[in-house]
Amino acid sequence: MTAPPPRLRIDKWLWHARFFKTRVLAAEVAGAGRVRVNGNRVTKPAYAVGPGDVLTFAQGDQVRVVRVEAIGLRRGPASEARTLYTDLDQGRDGCSGET
């Protein structure tokens, strides 16, 4: 039997990936229904995401579309955070994908 893929709460993942400065802010965004996972609106910060999931959310005046590549164990430096996702918006509006 194979183990299920690793999953993490969406608020924690967004914070680990450095899209939001605090976990509380990430939880507020997810809880307010302002994040979509694979096209479905999320209304709970405890919603579990894992590798392969595509997240769509607003960050400032920009809409971000990213694919989860890995689950972080901690909120590390920006260079480490960038390995957790692939920016699917690169090139569409000149985004560099850096946080």
Side-chain angles (χ1 to χ4, degrees):
M1 182 159 63
T2 61
R7 306 202 50 84
L8 187 66
R9 289 173 56 114
I10 194 166
D11 61 336
K12 255 184 138 171
W13 189 88
L14 288 167
W15 179 61
H16 283 185
R18 293 185 162 266
F19 286 109
F20 296 97
K21 195 169 212 147
T22 67
R23 184 171 166 196
V24 171
L25 183 56
E28 287 173 1
V29 169
R34 297 193 311 251
V35 179
R36 292 185 181 270
V37 177
N38 300 323
N40 299 313
R41 189 174 172 202
V42 172
T43 58
K44 296 187 180 197
Y47 188 90
V49 296
D53 286 336
V54 175
L55 310 182
T56 307
F57 57 93
Q59 184 182 35
D61 60 352
Q62 176 181 17
V63 174
R64 303 295 302 259
V65 181
V66 299
R67 181 177 49 242
V68 176
E69 297 295 342
I71 299 300
L73 300 175
R74 66 187 185 118
R75 186 171 200 252
S79 59
E80 183 179 312
R82 282 191 292 274
T83 66
L84 301 180
Y85 65 92
T86 298
D87 193 341
L88 301 178
D89 263 349
Q90 265 185 315
R92 186 170 79 174
D93 62 355
C95 296
S96 66
E98 294 185 18
T99 54

